[in-house]
Amino acid sequence: GDSVTQMEGPVTLSEEAFLTINCTYTATGYPSLFWYVQYPGEGLQLLLKATKADDKGSNKGFEATYRKETTSFHLEKGSVQVSDSAVYFCALRVTLGGGNKLTFGTGTQLKVEL
Amino acid sequence: EAQVTQNPRYLITVTGKKLTVTCSQNMNHEYMSWYRQDPGLGLRQIYYSMNVEVTDKGDVPEGYKVSRKEKRNFPLILESPSPNQTSLYFCASSMLQDRGPDNEQFFGPGTRLTVL
């Protein structure tokens, strides 16, 4: 079945450090890929997405490139801020007759310190 | 404001006492879904609905029921809750995929349920 594997956290960084959170996937067909962010006490928000191979999603300084050859969608940010502290979820969606089911990774907690 | 609302946000109950968590969306979305979030497991889909009166099981449906009598509402029902249903629950909604590429899934704020 479809699955998403993320690096385990927590990841602790100093402000302005470079961030990478690894994500790899297994899927039948051609999935769309997503990163969601969950701030403390809140629901999930879509951070960025990519719908086909070699697409790059970007938002708020975060980027991720859909790599079909390595089945990966790693999240990166050049300079993190304290306000980026949150849990980040990688997810995929495979076309299934119009449905919109998301398959999530386990989440990676990011802590950014001054 | 476009949003998904859930109630209650927090609930502590006892084993066997029936409960309902409500979910409502104001975006006229056809697709609605319930997920549970557990440490180390991420989010897993419980049930989903592709339109009024059309519901189906997700990956972890045991112990749950849903109904979709109106397009905007998708309540989650626990007929006889057990401690292993202690979790954080999220409702989500979106357009159907075949409505085009802009079918972002919107999530509610979550309901933290504790079953003693």
Side-chain angles (χ1 to χ4, degrees), chain A residues 16-61:
Chain A
E16 299 184 1
F18 185 87
L19 168 71
T20 299
I21 299 178
N22 290 336
C23 171
T24 58
Y25 67 89
T26 302
T28 54
Y30 301 96
S32 296
L33 301 173
F34 306 83
W35 277 100
Y36 280 83
V37 59
Q38 184 180 31
Y39 297 104
E42 298 184 12
L44 278 74
Q45 301 173 26
L46 179 64
L47 181 60
L48 54 84
K49 67 180 180 183
T51 58
K52 61 183 188 297
D54 300 325
D55 268 3
K56 177 186 283 188
S58 61
N59 186 24
K60 299 181 181 180

Side-chain angles (χ1 to χ4, degrees), chain B residues 22-52:
Chain B
T22 64
C23 172
S24 183
Q25 50 93 6
N26 62 1
M27 295 168 278
N28 200 37
H29 286 159
E30 297 95 346
Y31 187 89
M32 297 187 74
S33 180
W34 276 102
Y35 294 87
R36 60 178 288 175
Q37 181 182 1
D38 300 291
L41 297 175
L43 280 81
R44 295 175 293 167
Q45 190 182 55
I46 303 170
Y47 267 94
Y48 67 94
S49 169
M50 291 174 66
N51 215 325
V52 175

